[in-house]
Amino acid sequence: DDKVKLEALAKGVDWGVVCKLAKVHKIESLIYNNLRNNNLLSILPSNIESHLKAVYYQVSIRNSQFKELAENISALCPDSKILLVKGSALIFDFYKDLGARYLADVDIMVPKADRDYVWKQLTSGNWNDDNWPGLKSKAHNILNDANYKTMHYLYYGKAENSQFVDIHWKFYIGDGADDAAKYAFNKAVCVKDNLYVHSNEMQVVHLCTNNYLDYKNDGCMFIRNLCDINEFIKVRDIDWNEVDEILNIGGKQGFMKEAVIHTLNVIGPLFGTSIPDKYKESVFEGIEISPISLLQMPVTKLKKNALQSIKSDLRTLGKPSLICLYLFKEIIPDRKWLKGMYHNSNAPLLSY
């Protein structure tokens, strides 16, 4: 039935619009893969088929390189548990076809205590981080732990046209985030040596959280991310009671629970997938879920203004001595730090 519907739809489709939307939603290679696997490439105009085929093979090659880089990271950091997350976990342990899922970089999560070790091990190998001289002070380190979940990008080899790794130590910012990260590592499943992936239940929560962060920050949800979650809950056995246990780490009305409810209530109508009744809520009532509406979702964004951010930072620091240190180093950072951040001798801040 789906094949017949697709063949009928294809006759009146503006394929230029389809390709533009597919590129934004990062599903060009997925479309090609699914049409090929169902013997439906004939519905595509020849130029569109050639374009999607080229993208598919580019993604396949790049993802095979990402898998090798994940193993390289594992070998360089033998004393840390390396948890592959988001798309990196899916191409390593879920999708059988490397070309089906577009991936921009390698995402790993490491125990908070291992951040410096992993960074030093990678930068002693072939990984580079040109603009990460460390934090300005002890106070800045405290704020970094409170306000961020990710370290600077590291890139492999030369800066131009290189592959990146993003090092996380938690997957959201808010109540229960550190406890959720600990839970994730306790439940993680080894896939090779010291490379791990989430348990099925934590994978669902993390993928939903990542999708919800896009929504809260940018007012959009990408079909690529929604497809990941939809396919995962259809194929893998999910203990929804354990999902509840994870969500309770962040509180009954916490960020993780919001993320799962909002995401599943888009997946249900978009794909016709059955979701557990306990997560059904009218969070997008009156909105027709479509590839276009997903890019313009109504949202109260997370971003704070500058004054709110400063007030929040000062509350986090608490102690007058830390506040003074923070303000002093913001205004007059160490020259060594400046040289590390602006290592080009012509950088204007060096004279400062």
Side-chain angles (χ1 to χ4, degrees):
D1 288 346
D2 287 341
K3 286 185 179 181
V4 173
K5 289 178 183 177
L6 275 172
E7 288 170 344
L9 281 171
K11 294 174 182 177
V13 162
D14 184 334
W15 286 103
V17 173
V18 170
C19 282
K20 285 179 182 177
L21 281 170
K23 185 174 183 178
V24 173
H25 282 289
K26 305 169 187 175
I27 54 171
E28 290 174 291
S29 63
L30 177 63
I31 290 173
Y32 178 85
N33 186 57
N34 286 351
L35 290 177
R36 185 189 62 173
N37 290 344
N38 288 283
N39 298 314
L40 281 167
L41 288 175
S42 60
I43 71 172
L44 297 172
S46 59
N47 63 321
I48 299 297
E49 180 183 349
S50 297
H51 168 72
L52 294 179
K53 182 178 181 179
V55 172
Y56 169 82
Y57 282 106
Q58 287 168 5
V59 170
S60 298
I61 293 167
R62 192 164 171 82
N63 283 353
S64 67
Q65 293 170 343
F66 281 136
K67 285 191 74 172
E68 290 177 5
L69 289 177
E71 292 173 352
N72 173 264
I73 292 167
S74 167
L76 287 171
C77 307
D79 296 330
S80 181
K81 183 182 280 189
I82 305 296
L83 182 59
L84 295 167
V85 294
K86 303 196 293 186
S88 302
L90 297 175
I91 68 162
F92 211 96
D93 186 56
F94 183 65
Y95 287 119
K96 294 180 180 178
D97 192 316
L98 285 178
R101 208 278 189 185
Y102 170 80
L103 191 64
D105 54 22
V106 178
D107 284 283
I108 63 172
M109 197 160 91
V110 301
K112 190 174 180 179
D114 290 354
R115 286 177 303 180
D116 290 344
Y117 163 75
V118 170
W119 185 86
K120 287 175 182 176
Q121 290 296 106
L122 294 184
T123 52
S124 68
N126 287 324
W127 293 88
N128 299 285
D129 194 353
D130 289 344
N131 291 311
W132 183 243
L135 294 160
K136 294 178 184 177
S137 70
K138 177 183 176 182
H140 286 81
N141 193 49
I142 292 170
L143 292 178
N144 187 61
D145 282 354
N147 297 334
Y148 296 92
K149 64 184 182 68
T150 307
M151 286 179 73
H152 236 269
Y153 271 131
L154 276 71
Y155 64 88
Y156 189 81
K158 296 182 179 180
E160 60 273 10
N161 198 31
S162 58
Q163 289 89 27
F164 292 86
V165 61
D166 209 354
I167 306 173
H168 307 265
W169 61 88
K170 52 189 173 186
F171 54 89
Y172 72 99
I173 300 161
D175 293 342
D178 287 334
D179 290 335
K182 290 176 185 175
Y183 186 99
F185 279 107
N186 287 336
K187 294 284 186 174
V189 179
C190 182
V191 289
K192 184 177 181 180
D193 300 326
N194 59 327
L195 284 176
Y196 289 75
V197 294
H198 283 308
S199 66
N200 289 344
E201 292 72 25
M202 183 57 81
Q203 191 72 275
V204 170
V205 173
H206 193 166
L207 292 174
C208 286
T209 303
N210 185 56
N211 173 68
Y212 192 59
L213 283 169
D214 283 340
Y215 163 66
K216 293 295 280 184
N217 286 323
D218 303 313
C220 60
M221 293 189 188
F222 297 110
I223 291 178
R224 177 197 63 176
N225 298 343
L226 297 169
C227 280
D228 288 341
I229 301 161
N230 183 61
E231 289 301 308
F232 199 85
I233 63 178
K234 282 169 58 180
V235 172
R236 294 288 174 91
D237 291 327
I238 309 298
D239 183 343
W240 292 102
N241 290 325
E242 186 171 337
V243 170
D244 284 343
E245 182 182 335
I246 297 167
L247 300 184
N248 286 334
I249 295 172
K252 292 184 178 180
Q253 302 301 320
F255 186 83
M256 288 190 292
K257 188 163 189 177
E258 279 185 32
V260 169
I261 288 172
H262 279 72
T263 300
L264 293 183
N265 280 281
V266 169
I267 285 173
L270 184 64
F271 299 108
T273 300
S274 177
I275 65 172
D277 289 340
K278 57 188 171 183
Y279 300 120
K280 291 179 180 177
E281 291 189 17
S282 302
V283 289
F284 296 115
E285 193 170 9
I287 299 173
E288 182 181 352
I289 303 299
S290 73
I292 294 175
S293 68
L294 287 170
L295 299 175
Q296 303 167 342
M297 303 288 280
V299 61
T300 303
K301 296 189 177 182
L302 290 172
K303 295 173 182 175
K304 302 174 184 176
N305 63 40
L307 185 58
Q308 288 173 323
S309 296
I310 292 169
K311 286 182 177 178
S312 175
D313 286 347
L314 296 181
R315 281 196 299 270
T316 299
L317 292 172
K319 294 180 180 179
S321 59
L322 288 174
I323 293 172
C324 290
L325 176 63
Y326 167 72
L327 294 174
F328 180 73
K329 291 298 181 182
E330 274 292 283
I331 299 168
I332 310 177
D334 294 339
R335 186 171 180 80
K336 181 180 178 182
W337 183 90
L338 278 172
K339 281 187 173 181
M341 182 62 81
Y342 305 99
H343 45 79
N344 183 331
S345 60
N346 295 321
L349 283 179
L350 279 181
S351 59
Y352 164 83

